[in-house]
Amino acid sequence: MQPRILIIYTGGTIGMIEDPKSKALAPFDFSHLMENVPKVKMLDYHIDNIQFAPPIDSSDMNPEHWQHITSSIARNYDDYDGFVVLHGTDTMAYTASALSFMLQGLSKPVIITGSQLPIGEVRTDGEENLITALQIAAAKGSDGRPMVQEVAILFENYLWRGCRSTKRSADHFNAFRSNNYPYLAKIGLGITYDQDSLDRTEGKTLRVFRKLDTSVMCIDLFPGLNETTLRHQLATPGIKGIVLRTYGAGNGPTAPWFISAIRDACNRGIVLLNVTQCVNGSVHSNRYVTGDMLSGTGVISGHDITFEAAITKMMHLFGKGVGHDEVVRALHRPLAGEMTLD
Ligand code: ASP
């Protein structure tokens, strides 16, 4: 039987063409994209598509778009073997993280890809990325079940878990990376899957969560951050959750004004999640006094979660409409393989 794949084309460089006047790249429609990859026919798959109207640069991506992608996948879930989302690279890791929380218990692949060079360019990486993403979306294991049963980013030589990924380069073809989790597959002459890192748990049931609450923000620590600025940020009207981007193993200043400003925010019911600014490694709240004092205020450890997963996890949890304590409890444990507990 021919594999049935649904492509959701959101836009991004992969389908862009040069504006004749400004020479800047702008999104173009899906038929242009497919005309440039005639090799897709060699795959002998049944491929349908849904496209954003109009397709967008992913810098314009927002939670309503994520709801649209989620609904498109949920509506078509039983009719396809796998899903490929074509997306700009700029916010791809945010979308991958959001979809991981919105589509929990997947037993089919949702593969997100795009490219650094438009599909119409001679040296494009788009053709290979699209074809490999389709092959991964159609791949079955020796047990007959889909090889990939989660949201993942395919880019150049690797397949990464979606909620563990980060864009790491604006220039290189290998533009994505998961700094705290191994790749799900390596792409070379063949596609080599890593059985230990893939989530192929049996008997999963899809649970769809469409609602997101954007009453979240982030605060980045830096030497020189002053009390007025910090208190101003913590007092942002309507804010329910804050990702606090800290130093090293989750450390922050020990100055009494800092600790008391953070403690006041926690006491007001704002949920603060501690995520390290380091690209690799984890928050270890009790390793240093500077981290220990912070965790004493009520700030929750984000362990080795990425910023992209942290902010979208908060949107998802507040979107569920559960109370403060339930949000805090859920932040302590992984929901979609987004973090490793110590
Ligand atoms: N600005 C583009 C986008 O994110 C970049 C890309 O696709 O590589 O849509």
Side-chain angles (χ1 to χ4, degrees):
M1 256 238 305
Q2 261 190 330
R4 293 175 59 83
I5 309 294
L6 180 65
I7 297 182
I8 301 172
Y9 172 53
T10 70
T13 298
I14 191 163
M16 289 189 184
I17 57 172
E18 220 174 69
D19 180 282
K21 276 201 209 112
S22 68
K23 301 286 175 213
L25 291 171
F28 206 64
D29 76 356
F30 187 72
S31 52
H32 151 82
L33 201 150
M34 292 313 266
E35 275 159 23
N36 278 281
V37 202
K39 277 191 201 151
V40 165
K41 293 197 188 75
M42 291 166 71
L43 291 175
D44 195 25
Y45 295 170
H46 174 96
I47 298 174
D48 291 319
N49 73 84
I50 292 176
Q51 72 167 305
F52 273 25
I56 59 167
D57 184 300
S58 79
S59 301
D60 281 323
M61 190 60 61
N62 63 45
E64 279 99 73
H65 295 121
W66 295 337
Q67 286 164 337
H68 181 49
I69 301 171
T70 297
S71 300
S72 304
I73 293 174
R75 210 174 42 244
N76 290 287
Y77 194 68
D78 295 334
D79 297 333
Y80 292 90
D81 296 300
F83 302 85
V84 170
V85 180
L86 299 180
H87 196 289
T89 57
D90 289 346
T91 59
M92 190 182 284
Y94 291 89
T95 298
S97 298
L99 295 186
S100 306
F101 300 121
M102 297 169 85
L103 294 162
Q104 291 179 38
L106 281 170
S107 51
K108 295 186 177 183
V110 175
I111 311 298
I112 311 181
T113 196
S115 67
Q116 294 281 51
L117 286 176
I119 203 97
E121 294 226 357
V122 186
R123 290 187 55 256
T124 186
D125 51 330
E127 178 172 23
E128 210 174 291
N129 284 349
L130 173 57
I131 289 177
T132 311
L134 288 166
Q135 288 183 318
I136 292 173
K140 296 269 176 9
S142 51
D143 55 3
R145 298 188 301 131
M147 268 320 290
V148 179
Q149 308 189 6
E150 56 190 291
V151 179
I153 289 184
L154 175 275
F155 223 85
E156 192 72 2
N157 298 116
Y158 298 95
L159 182 74
W160 304 106
R161 172 164 295 168
C163 55
R164 290 282 195 156
S165 309
T166 300
K167 181 173 179 180
R168 66 150 175 183
S169 173
D171 300 325
H172 293 156
F173 284 154
N174 267 312
F176 287 85
R177 194 176 165 78
S178 159
N179 291 301
N180 286 323
Y181 196 76
Y183 54 75
L184 304 181
K186 187 158 171 38
I187 290 85
L189 291 183
I191 301 171
T192 313
Y193 293 94
D194 182 339
Q195 301 284 350
D196 294 332
S197 54
L198 286 162
D199 174 11
R200 301 187 78 243
T201 319
E202 289 193 45
K204 291 187 279 182
T205 353
L206 179 67
R207 284 171 302 135
V208 182
F209 300 92
R210 287 187 181 78
K211 290 205 182 120
L212 295 167
D213 185 337
T214 55
S215 315
V216 295
M217 63 181 275
C218 94
I219 297 180
D220 241 307
L221 297 190
F222 58 92
L225 172 67
N226 65 46
E227 182 173 5
T228 314
T229 312
L230 179 67
R231 285 204 179 265
H232 190 78
Q233 288 176 300
L234 291 168
T236 304
I239 280 301
K240 296 179 184 164
I242 299 175
V243 177
L244 189 63
R245 299 192 69 237
T246 58
Y247 308 130
N251 306 315
T254 54
W257 64 262
F258 178 80
I259 296 297
S260 95
I262 298 288
R263 183 176 289 119
D264 289 351
C266 291
N267 291 344
R268 287 202 313 274
I270 295 178
V271 177
L272 277 109
L273 185 63
N274 188 349
V275 175
T276 176
Q277 292 172 357
C278 293
V279 290
N280 168 250
S282 181
V283 167
H284 301 282
S285 306
N286 308 113
R287 187 179 285 174
Y288 297 92
V289 170
T290 44
D292 202 36
M293 283 179 77
L294 202 51
S295 74
T297 60
V299 173
I300 304 159
S301 170
H303 300 275
D304 60 352
I305 198 168
T306 60
F307 173 70
E308 294 89 333
I311 200 90
T312 53
K313 185 175 181 178
M314 278 197 171
M315 286 186 201
H316 158 67
L317 292 174
F318 287 117
K320 282 175 87 179
V322 295
H324 170 275
D325 293 357
E326 179 54 34
V327 171
V328 170
R329 254 196 304 278
L331 284 173
H332 278 291
R333 55 185 172 84
L335 294 182
E338 73 280 11
M339 64 183 190
T340 312
L341 305 179
D342 299 333

